[in-house]
């Protein structure tokens, strides 16, 4: 009800008033804030109006700061697991739903084409339609868990333009479960809310809609709803009580199925090729096919035709979640289950599955078919992964990769490995990520953690160091039984040696995992469940395996992952944050819910490691071994809950804190004799966020720069000395919870958010000249960084002067009457405050130096890899990375010497059957996958023969034979002959066997195989073609070629030259040069002849006479099956008479 009057912002470049602005009202702030985006001089900049102040970024500043915090990569959110239909395909794209957004991928190359819709509340249902009239406009229909439905349109198919919100409607506490567009009408859709169905018609004015409740017989919770793909008026519905029926969206008529199923209906799907058939699958594993008797024709659902059950298929295990017809194969459909990752392919004419497709991703949540005839289906999994599977070839063709399915609360770099990021989420998982290619290396589940100790309180905590506790170390032991989905996590940390990950969260438990062995360690119940949530865990900067945690039960603990508590500091307030001082191990800082910051210092000569586990209550008097200093409102502190604290890694005594009062504060601390601390300078207040501040970190290389993230979805870069904001980004769609940096990669950062994404950033724009200096061979430590000088009514403050911003005013605040412009200049300190200068100074060679510089300055993995390869080339194989680096994902582009080592190691490991680490139990499918990857690495290293042999051992003869010509043609022929032997042993098809023998240059064995299969006519044709030299002759690899017996006779190849040069059917073509240049590859192989052999040997080659029952050499055959000596083929012994066709018999006579 407030009327706002405000002046348009002025463009700093042209001094004109900006009028092109998109405005939106934000209600997430305690006061109403008007936000928008203005465009001028080709630059868009955000602004907001609050009270009498106008907050804006002027155009000139936007140009200089646009790259200060630049996103380089996105780790998309995983597919959510609670929505009924997570994936949907239309036109040339398919879409999957995450917690807060829709992700659209191209169906051809599977690339992420756009994120068409983002929300601030959890998505509960969605549908979309492609352009109807060819106007290039896609429409998206989304519903959130607050029962608000929004309609969006995207102008160019969703591939580039921002979506436009056209309609918003609220269903009051009805519980919207399904929304469904009419694919043939752009203004009508159906909504299933509660037990009712509503028809919504969008009015032409573009803002309002008409909602009509539809009559239908439902009395239960709807679990599935679908429309016919081609006739959208025909709908099918299933409920939790086991009832299903047909519904006509136009007339409102309903026809129930005659069967009431036991249990919940999991899915209903129409046959896209006709209007007559419907699949119904229950959660209990019952799958039935129904004839709906054309009820979806133009006349709609008819009550005169009752649906009838056609077939009930073999019952499956419980957990069936999806069934769908495959459009490219009429009568074929697919089923999936939440219990396992097996896709079963069925045919309506068979009661049992005909094929299966194994998915290593695990349980399935939903599936849909791509809108083409390729036979591909899109499947979403409980792990958050999304994959595309080819049902024709029964294999996976693309996988998105796993991702978090709930809010990501923490993301940290591994201190010992700058190329590894660890994240944790409310979904109960901890994931290890390769920072170079953003791939998930491993996923830890809280459900896998064994429990060793019971929940501790009071004296129990004092006895933890002596090893007392519950002796039950079995999985799921202890007082709690872990299940998948429990163990929601709020924070994680990695020990300083990179060996152990610690995570904690809602249940007050500390979870530990061995990073190298990829196994879970026993859980420590550090606080009472639920009332003692752990909101922060940090690792000790120098002591491996030592962590500190902050709990809402009012205690901060320092402990080892083995369970030994080093110190417990009792607060009389919930503790939300904790941090070690990297300059002084005796100092610990905590953040409390009572709006004060605690700095705990040990007395002289002691450290926290020497504390008794029964440390007294928080006090600074008596005989305590530590002294606590409270920093509250009198010291210029926060006015609301302090959520986090963090010491600067570059400036001793500088502390950053964030709070629910929407501010961050920078403290300058000095220690007094006795262990107490005082503020040596006025507290710097960082004001600008409009909601609670949660994320914080310091720049690892620039001492005066820090970062904060807030519930307002923004990330801000600050000058911590002047208190001025350098840059703002609002890329995240929701609350920002953590910002991770690493000293070895100071100009990179990673953030996480409630939008379930992780985003990687480059901050090299803060030192624009650093990379140029590096390329030109200059001293990078001399590069200046972007600073701030203020222009306007105040005098300018240069870097290094003691200046503090107004704590009540945003750094970008402009008065209506007297605007003040903050111009960013290269006035900051030089780069090199952290480890970069030390690394450059200690570099032994120029390659080392460039490697350090570009690793620090570039956010791209290719730059790091390039200089690493250059270092190996310049210094030799001694600089090559080892197997441990490869296992950690540090080798993305291996040098040839590294590749050879990797091949040898991987091959030897695969041959011995050893696993890669303790507790790593690989399935047969995983072992085969590793063997295939090993073979591929061999091929990339030039070992074509090794690749072929590896694929042959895996049974993939097609791949082996396809690559064999790279070795030699004789080797290729020998593999074809081996495959023929394999077919004989397996009792396979004689047709395939004969084809392989023919291309291998063994027509006599091919003819014998056809004879043994009773196909004498085909054998006769082969013999005739061989007599005319119709098949190539290869110098075969004797080591892999063995004779085989058929019908009691031994047949082998014999290459003899025919002296009869005037035969009319002899081929005089010269063989390709490859046939004559490859015989050296096979030891002992005779040199090939340019003249094809015209004789066929059906028996042993005896010099004089023949043995009884064994045929000797015969004269060449004519096409009629008659030898030049006049005897027919039928008269030869011991071969059985050929069943020659009637015409050929007449010709032979």
């Amino acid at each position: 009800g407030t009327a706002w009057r405000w002046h348009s912002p002025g463009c700093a470049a042209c001094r004109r008033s900006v009028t092109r602005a998109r405005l939106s009202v934000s209600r997430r702030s305690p006061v109403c804030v008007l936000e928008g985006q203005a465009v001028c001089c080709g630059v868009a900049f955000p602004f907001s109006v609050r009270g009498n102040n106008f907050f804006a970024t002027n155009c000139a500043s936007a140009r200089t700061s646009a790259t200060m915090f630049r996103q380089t990569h996105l780790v998309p959110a995983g597919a959510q697991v609670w929505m009924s239909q997570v994936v949907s395909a239309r036109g040339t794209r398919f879409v999957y739903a995450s917690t807060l957004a829709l992700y659209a991928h191209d169906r051809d190359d599977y690339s992420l084409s756009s994120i068409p819709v983002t929300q601030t509340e959890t998505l509960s249902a969605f549908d979309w339609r492609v352009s109807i009239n060819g106007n290039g406009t896609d429409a998206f229909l989304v519903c959130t868990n607050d029962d608000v439905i929004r309609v969006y349109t995207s102008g160019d198919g969703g591939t580039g333009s921002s979506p436009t919100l056209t309609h918003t409607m609220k269903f009051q506490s009805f519980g919207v479960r399904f929304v469904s567009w009419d694919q043939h009408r752009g203004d009508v859709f159906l909504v299933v809310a509660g037990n009712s169905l509503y028809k919504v018609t969008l009015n032409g004015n573009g803002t309002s809609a008409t909602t009509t409740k539809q009559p239908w017989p439902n009395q239960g919770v709807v679990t599935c709803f679908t429309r016919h793909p081609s006739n959208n008026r025909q709908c099918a519905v299933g409920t939790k009580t086991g009832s299903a029926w047909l519904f006509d969206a136009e007339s409102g008529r309903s026809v129930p199925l005659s069967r009431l199923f036991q249990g919940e209906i999991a899915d209903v799907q129409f046959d896209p090729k006709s209007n007559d058939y419907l699949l119904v699958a229950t959660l209990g594993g019952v799958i039935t096919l129904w004839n709906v008797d054309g009820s979806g024709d133009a006349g709609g659902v008819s009550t005169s035709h009752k649906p009838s059950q056609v077939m009930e298929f073999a019952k499956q295990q419980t957990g069936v979640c999806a069934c769908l017809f495959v459009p490219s194969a009429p009568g074929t459909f697919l089923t999936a289950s939440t219990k396992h990752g097996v896709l079963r392919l069925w045919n309506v004419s068979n009661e049992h599955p005909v094929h299966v497709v194994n998915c290593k991703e695990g349980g399935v949540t939903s599936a849909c078919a791509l809108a083409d005839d390729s036979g591909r289906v899109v499947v979403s999994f409980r792990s958050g992964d999304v994959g595309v599977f080819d049902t024709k070839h029964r294999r996976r063709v693309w996988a998105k990769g796993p991702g978090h399915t709930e809010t990501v609360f923490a993301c940290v770099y591994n201190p010992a490995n700058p190329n590894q990021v660890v994240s944790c989420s409310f979904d109960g998982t901890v994931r290890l990520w390769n920072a170079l290619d953003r791939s998930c290396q491993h996923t830890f589940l809280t459900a896998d953690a064994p429990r060793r100790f019971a929940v501790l309180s009071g004296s129990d905590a004092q006895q933890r160091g002596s090893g007392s506790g519950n002796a039950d170390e079995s999985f799921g032991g202890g007082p709690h039984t872990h299940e998948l989905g429990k163990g929601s996590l709020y924070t994680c940390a990695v020990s300083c040696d990179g060996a152990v990950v610690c995570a904690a969260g809602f249940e007050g438990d500390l979870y530990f995992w061995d990073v190298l062995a990829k196994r879970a360690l026993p859980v420590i119940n550090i606080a009472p469940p639920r009332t003692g949530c752990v909101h922060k865990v940090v690792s000790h900067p120098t002591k491996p395996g030592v962590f500190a945690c902050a709990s809402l039960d009012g205690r901060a603990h320092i402990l080892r992952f083995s369970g030994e508590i080093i110190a417990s500091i009792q607060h009389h307030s919930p503790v939300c944050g904790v941090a070690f001082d990297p300059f002084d191990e005796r100092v610990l800082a905590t953040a409390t819910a009572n709006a004060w910051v605690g700095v705990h210092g040990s007395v002289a000569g002691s450290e926290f490691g020497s504390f008794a586990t029964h440390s007294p209550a928080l006090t600074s008097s008596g005989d305590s071994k530590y002294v606590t200093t409270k920093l509250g409102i009198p010291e210029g502190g926060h006015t609301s809950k302090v959520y986090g604290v963090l010491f600067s890694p570059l400036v001793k005594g500088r502390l950053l804190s964030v709070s629910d009062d929407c501010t961050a504060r920078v403290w300058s601390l000095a220690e007094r004799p006795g262990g107490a601390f005082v503020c040596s300078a006025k507290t710097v207040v960082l004001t600008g966020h409009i909601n609670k501040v949660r994320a914080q970190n310091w720049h690892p290389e620039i001492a005066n720069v820090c970062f904060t993230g807030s519930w307002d979805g923004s990330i801000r870069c600050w000058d911590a000395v002047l208190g001025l904001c350098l840059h703002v980004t609002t890329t995240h769609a929701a609350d920002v919870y953590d910002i991770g940096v690493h000293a070895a990669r100071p100009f990179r950062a990673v953030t996480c958010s409630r939008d379930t994404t992780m985003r990687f950033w480059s901050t090299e724009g803060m030192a624009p000249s650093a990379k140029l200096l590096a390329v030109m061979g200059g001293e990078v430590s001399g590069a200046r960084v972007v600073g701030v000088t203020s222009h306007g009514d105040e005098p300018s403050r240069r870097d290094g002067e003691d200046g503090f911003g107004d704590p009540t005013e945003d750094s970008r605040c402009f008065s209506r009457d007297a605007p003040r412009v903050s111009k960013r200049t290269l006035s900051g300190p030089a780069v090199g405050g952290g480890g970069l200068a030390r690394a450059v100074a200690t570099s032994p060679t120029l390659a080392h130096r460039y490697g350090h510089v570009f690793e620090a300055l570039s956010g791209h993995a290719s730059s790091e890899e390039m200089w690493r390869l250059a270092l190996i080339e310049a210094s030799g194989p001694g600089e090559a990375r080892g197997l441990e680096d490869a296992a950690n994902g540090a080798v993305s582009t291996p040098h040839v010497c590294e590749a050879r080592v990797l091949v040898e190691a991987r091959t030897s490991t695969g041959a011995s059957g050893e696993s890669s680490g303790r507790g790593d139990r690989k399935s047969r499918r995983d072992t085969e996958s590793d063997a295939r990857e090993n073979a591929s690495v061999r091929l990339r290293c030039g070992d074509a023969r090794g690749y072929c042999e590896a694929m042959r051992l895996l049974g993939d003869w097609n791949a082996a034979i396809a690559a064999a010509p790279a070795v030699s043609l004789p080797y290729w022929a020998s593999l074809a002959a081996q495959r023929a032997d394999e077919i004989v042993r397996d009792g396979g098809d004689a047709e395939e066997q004969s084809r392989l023998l023919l291309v291998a240059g063994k027509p006599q064995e091919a003819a014998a195989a056809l004879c043994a299969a009773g196909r004498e006519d085909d054998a006769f044709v082969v013999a005739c073609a061989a007599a005319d030299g119709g098949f190539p002759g290869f110098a075969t690899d004797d080591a892999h070629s063995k004779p085989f017996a058929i019908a009691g006779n031994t047949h082998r190849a014999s290459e003899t030259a025919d002296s009869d040069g005037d035969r009319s059917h002899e081929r005089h073509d010269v063989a390709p040069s490859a046939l004559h240049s490859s015989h050296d590859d096979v030891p002992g192989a005779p040199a090939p002849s340019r003249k094809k052999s015209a004789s066929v040997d059906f028996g042993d080659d005896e010099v004089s006479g023949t043995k009884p029952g064994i045929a000797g050499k015969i004269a060449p055959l004519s096409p009629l099956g008659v030898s030049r000596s006049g005897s027919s083929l039928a008269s030869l012994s011991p071969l059985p008479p050929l069943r020659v066709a009637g015409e050929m018999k007449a010709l032979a006579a």
Side-chain angles (χ1 to χ4, degrees):
T2 303
W4 292 88
R5 297 187 61 187
W6 55 282
H7 297 285
S8 300
C11 175
C14 60
R15 302 298 180 184
R16 292 180 302 178
S17 176
V18 179
T19 57
R20 295 178 56 194
R22 295 195 303 270
L23 304 180
S24 62
V25 177
S26 171
R27 295 183 177 88
R28 294 198 298 166
S29 174
V31 296
C32 191
V33 177
L34 194 62
E35 296 179 327
Q37 186 179 43
V39 180
C40 190
C41 298
V43 177
F45 57 96
F47 65 84
S48 61
V49 178
R50 180 174 56 185
N52 293 325
N53 294 326
F54 178 75
F55 300 83
T57 301
N58 62 76
C59 294
S61 300
R63 288 192 182 97
T64 60
S65 65
T67 59
M68 290 181 63
F69 205 80
R70 174 177 55 87
Q71 179 178 317
T72 59
H73 299 94
L74 166 70
V75 177
Q80 63 165 261
V81 297
W82 51 86
M83 189 184 295
S84 175
Q85 187 64 32
V86 182
V87 292
S88 176
R90 301 275 192 274
T92 60
R93 296 190 296 166
F94 63 90
V95 172
Y96 77 88
S98 68
T99 303
L100 299 180
L102 300 180
Y103 292 81
H105 288 258
D106 187 90
R107 75 179 184 191
D108 295 325
D109 59 6
Y110 311 114
S111 60
L112 179 62
S113 60
S114 66
I115 306 177
V117 175
T118 57
Q119 300 291 290
T120 58
E121 301 294 334
T122 302
L123 295 178
S124 59
F126 84 98
D127 195 14
W128 66 296
R129 61 167 176 78
V130 296
S131 172
I132 295 178
N133 300 322
N135 55 5
T137 301
D138 291 352
F140 293 88
L141 187 65
V142 296
C143 178
T144 51
N145 58 0
D146 56 356
D147 293 328
V148 175
I149 295 178
R150 296 176 176 87
V151 181
Y152 294 86
T153 59
S154 57
D156 59 350
T159 58
S161 64
S162 300
T164 302
L165 177 64
T166 60
H167 296 81
T168 301
M169 57 205 73
K170 170 72 175 179
F171 284 77
Q172 296 293 336
S173 303
F174 287 161
V176 177
R177 298 183 59 86
F178 297 94
V179 290
S180 177
W181 274 112
D182 188 331
Q183 297 296 321
H184 306 304
R185 293 183 58 184
D187 59 344
V188 177
F189 59 88
L190 298 177
V191 179
V192 178
N195 298 335
S196 303
L197 177 69
Y198 298 87
K199 184 177 181 179
V200 180
T201 303
L202 303 178
N203 296 334
N205 57 17
T207 58
S208 61
T210 302
T211 302
T212 306
K213 187 174 182 179
Q214 301 294 298
W216 71 345
N218 178 44
Q219 298 297 326
V221 177
V222 176
T223 56
C224 52
F225 181 92
T226 188
R227 289 178 182 258
H228 194 283
S230 59
N231 186 0
N232 265 205
R233 68 181 297 176
Q234 184 181 17
C235 306
V237 187
T239 66
K240 196 169 186 177
T241 58
S243 61
W245 68 92
L246 301 176
F247 176 76
D248 191 329
E250 296 293 336
S251 64
R253 290 192 294 267
S254 299
V255 178
L257 300 188
S258 58
R259 177 176 176 178
L260 180 63
F261 295 91
Q262 293 183 353
E264 176 181 329
I265 305 294
D267 201 4
V268 288
Q269 289 292 331
F270 288 103
D271 183 358
K273 299 296 183 180
S274 72
N275 292 323
D276 294 335
Y277 296 104
L278 174 73
L279 273 176
V280 179
T282 70
L283 189 64
V286 176
I287 305 169
T288 57
L289 178 68
W290 292 76
N291 186 346
V292 296
D293 199 16
S295 60
D297 291 337
V301 174
S302 173
T303 57
S304 61
H305 300 285
K306 301 296 183 181
S308 59
Q309 181 174 313
V310 177
M311 177 180 291
E312 180 171 347
F313 301 92
K315 190 176 185 301
Q316 302 298 296
Q317 295 179 349
T318 59
V320 173
C321 63
C323 65
L324 72 151
F325 282 96
V326 180
S328 62
T332 300
F333 66 93
L334 175 146
T335 60
S337 171
T338 59
K339 303 294 185 181
H340 52 72
V342 178
L343 306 179
R344 304 186 189 277
L345 293 173
W346 306 70
N347 190 279
V348 294
S349 61
N350 196 330
E351 294 183 358
H352 299 275
V354 293
H355 296 293
V356 296
V357 181
N358 292 316
C359 311
K360 66 178 182 180
E361 292 82 0
V364 177
T365 55
S366 68
C368 72
L370 290 180
D372 57 11
D373 290 329
S374 63
R376 294 173 296 169
V377 296
V378 185
V379 183
S380 62
F381 298 89
R382 293 178 60 83
S383 63
D385 203 348
V386 177
V388 178
F389 293 83
D390 187 343
T391 59
K392 292 181 179 179
H393 301 92
R394 300 187 295 280
R395 61 187 179 91
R396 183 183 64 183
V397 295
W398 175 79
K400 179 193 73 69
H404 288 294
T405 59
E406 262 286 6
T407 300
V408 186
F409 280 109
C411 56
V412 295
Y413 277 93
N414 186 334
N417 182 4
N419 293 323
Q420 187 177 72
V421 173
V422 179
S423 64
C424 71
S425 167
F426 197 74
D427 61 13
T429 64
V430 171
R431 298 183 187 269
L432 305 183
W433 303 88
N434 185 339
L436 297 176
D437 58 9
R438 280 76 53 197
S439 62
C440 183
Q441 296 175 317
H442 195 77
T443 300
F444 297 115
L445 298 175
T446 56
D448 293 339
R451 293 183 176 272
R452 178 174 55 189
F453 298 110
V455 177
L456 295 180
S457 61
S459 61
D460 293 335
Q462 303 172 15
Q463 300 174 5
R464 176 67 62 80
S466 61
S468 64
N470 193 345
D472 184 6
E473 298 193 17
S474 61
F475 283 81
H480 300 142
T481 300
H482 254 284
E483 298 177 2
L484 187 64
K486 289 188 177 181
S488 302
L489 302 176
Y490 294 150
T491 178
C492 65
V494 187
S495 61
C496 60
D497 61 351
V500 178
V501 171
C502 177
F506 177 71
E507 295 179 343
D509 298 330
L510 294 182
Y511 298 90
F512 299 92
W513 289 274
D514 188 327
V515 175
L516 299 179
K518 304 294 191 299
R519 66 186 182 94
L521 302 175
V523 176
I524 298 177
N525 305 115
I526 199 67
R530 294 171 175 80
T531 59
C533 302
V534 177
H535 278 218
K536 191 64 177 179
V537 171
V538 295
S539 62
H540 196 282
T542 59
K543 294 182 179 179
V546 176
F547 298 88
C549 66
S551 172
L552 296 188
D553 66 353
R555 293 184 295 176
H557 301 279
I558 303 175
L559 72 162
R560 293 185 174 88
F561 76 93
S562 60
E564 176 189 357
I565 292 184
I566 299 173
S568 293
I569 305 175
Q570 179 65 49
H571 296 60
H572 297 294
S573 170
V575 185
C576 303
V578 63
F580 286 106
D581 187 346
F583 290 94
D584 192 345
E585 298 180 1
R586 301 178 299 108
V587 178
L588 188 76
T590 55
T592 67
N594 285 357
W596 54 271
V597 175
V599 183
H600 316 280
S602 301
V603 298
S606 66
E607 59 176 345
F608 277 105
S610 63
F611 283 3
T613 59
H614 56 279
S615 298
L618 185 65
T619 180
S620 58
S621 61
D623 57 355
S624 172
K625 293 186 178 181
Y626 63 90
V627 177
T628 295
T629 302
K630 287 186 177 182
L631 303 176
I633 295 179
E635 292 77 22
H638 295 282
T639 59
S640 185
K641 178 175 70 175
V642 183
Y643 192 80
V645 289
L646 186 65
F647 282 100
S648 169
L650 302 178
V651 180
K652 180 177 175 58
R654 183 174 289 177
L655 180 68
L656 176 65
S657 61
V658 295
S659 168
D660 282 4
D661 62 7
C662 306
T663 69
R665 297 176 190 254
V666 181
W667 309 80
S668 297
L669 306 176
E671 186 176 5
R672 287 181 173 178
F677 287 84
V678 295
C679 293
S680 60
K682 184 180 178 181
T683 303
V684 180
V685 182
L686 309 180
T687 305
H689 288 292
I690 60 174
N691 214 323
K692 300 176 182 178
V693 186
R694 284 292 181 264
Q696 61 178 336
N697 219 319
W698 292 94
H699 196 290
E701 195 66 37
I702 306 175
N704 293 345
V705 172
C706 63
F707 313 112
T708 59
S710 167
W711 278 10
D712 61 15
S714 69
I715 301 171
R716 290 177 177 254
C717 308
W718 303 89
D719 187 316
V721 174
L722 300 179
L724 297 177
C725 183
L726 303 177
H727 181 69
V728 182
T729 179
T730 56
T731 306
H732 278 293
D735 319 346
V736 180
Y737 278 103
D738 202 3
I739 304 172
V741 296
H742 196 285
R745 305 291 186 270
F747 290 92
R748 299 186 199 173
V750 61
T751 61
C752 60
S753 166
R754 189 168 65 88
D755 63 11
T756 64
T757 67
M758 292 173 54
R759 299 173 189 264
F760 288 83
W761 308 81
S762 170
T763 61
E764 63 186 46
M766 291 186 173
S769 61
K771 186 177 291 186
L772 180 61
L773 285 174
V775 172
M776 300 180 66
E779 289 294 334
V780 179
S781 57
R784 307 295 291 179
V785 301
V786 172
V788 176
T789 56
S790 299
H791 300 275
D793 299 335
E794 298 180 4
S796 174
R797 286 195 298 251
R798 289 182 175 26
D799 180 69
E801 298 180 1
D802 291 331
F804 304 94
D806 186 351
T808 63
E809 187 178 21
D810 189 2
S811 60
R812 300 182 304 162
C813 180
F814 295 82
S815 171
R816 292 186 183 181
D817 301 325
R820 186 188 65 198
V821 179
S822 295
K823 182 179 180 182
R824 296 169 179 83
T825 62
L826 294 178
S827 60
V831 173
L836 178 58
R838 293 190 298 270
V840 170
T842 57
S843 298
T845 66
L846 192 60
H848 283 89
R849 175 179 176 177
Y850 278 129
H852 289 306
V853 170
F854 281 90
E855 283 177 1
L857 295 177
S858 178
H860 299 280
S862 57
S863 174
E864 180 177 341
E865 287 292 290
M866 179 187 70
W867 287 108
R868 191 67 181 178
L869 296 174
L871 179 61
I872 299 174
E873 283 290 312
S875 304
E879 295 292 340
R881 293 156 291 188
L883 297 176
E884 183 176 348
D885 293 325
N888 293 333
V891 182
S892 60
T893 307
H895 190 273
V896 63
C897 62
E898 296 174 327
R900 291 187 182 123
V901 174
L902 292 174
V903 170
E904 293 175 0
R906 297 183 63 170
T907 305
S908 61
T909 301
S912 61
E914 297 176 356
S915 59
S916 59
R918 292 182 300 168
D920 187 9
R921 296 169 291 183
K922 291 187 176 180
S923 65
R924 180 179 178 183
R925 184 168 61 249
D926 294 335
T927 303
E928 180 179 343
S929 178
D930 291 343
R932 288 182 179 274
E933 179 60 26
N934 292 341
S936 298
V937 174
R938 281 187 176 275
L939 184 61
R940 289 194 291 268
C941 292
D943 186 6
R945 182 186 285 270
Y947 170 80
C948 293
E949 291 299 321
M951 301 309 291
R952 179 180 64 84
L953 293 176
L954 288 172
D956 193 346
W957 285 95
N958 291 336
I961 294 174
V967 180
S968 68
L969 289 179
Y971 178 72
W972 169 71
S974 70
L975 277 186
Q978 292 179 68
R979 175 55 178 158
D981 292 346
E982 186 86 9
I983 294 174
V984 172
R985 288 194 297 269
D986 295 342
D989 183 18
E991 177 67 25
E992 182 181 359
Q993 178 192 4
S994 63
R995 288 198 300 265
L996 290 169
L997 290 172
L998 289 175
V999 298
K1002 297 186 176 182
Q1004 70 285 356
E1005 296 187 13
L1010 292 171
C1011 286
R1015 298 171 57 179
E1016 289 85 353
D1017 291 355
D1018 294 333
F1020 174 77
V1021 175
V1022 169
C1024 293
D1028 284 345
F1031 300 103
F1034 295 105
T1036 57
D1037 191 343
D1038 293 336
H1040 299 283
S1041 179
K1042 297 180 181 180
F1044 59 93
I1046 297 181
N1049 294 285
T1050 301
H1051 305 278
R1052 59 183 177 81
S1054 175
E1055 300 221 14
T1056 61
D1058 185 5
S1059 58
D1060 188 1
D1062 59 351
R1063 291 189 298 113
S1064 59
H1065 298 284
E1066 173 69 345
R1067 291 181 55 188
H1068 297 285
D1069 302 88
V1070 178
S1073 59
L1075 297 179
H1076 306 288
S1077 60
S1078 60
H1079 69 278
D1080 293 335
D1081 183 75
V1082 183
S1089 173
R1090 291 180 180 270
K1091 191 178 184 68
K1092 296 291 188 297
S1093 173
S1095 63
V1096 180
D1097 183 10
F1098 282 90
D1100 289 338
D1101 186 5
E1102 298 292 341
V1103 178
S1104 60
T1106 58
K1107 297 180 181 180
I1110 298 180
K1113 279 194 175 182
I1114 62 174
L1117 299 177
S1118 70
L1120 299 181
V1122 180
S1123 67
R1124 288 186 174 83
S1125 60
S1127 61
S1128 68
L1129 186 64
S1131 64
L1132 298 177
S1133 178
L1135 293 178
L1138 296 179
R1139 296 189 294 272
V1140 186
E1143 294 93 337
M1144 300 188 73
K1145 285 184 178 180
L1147 290 173

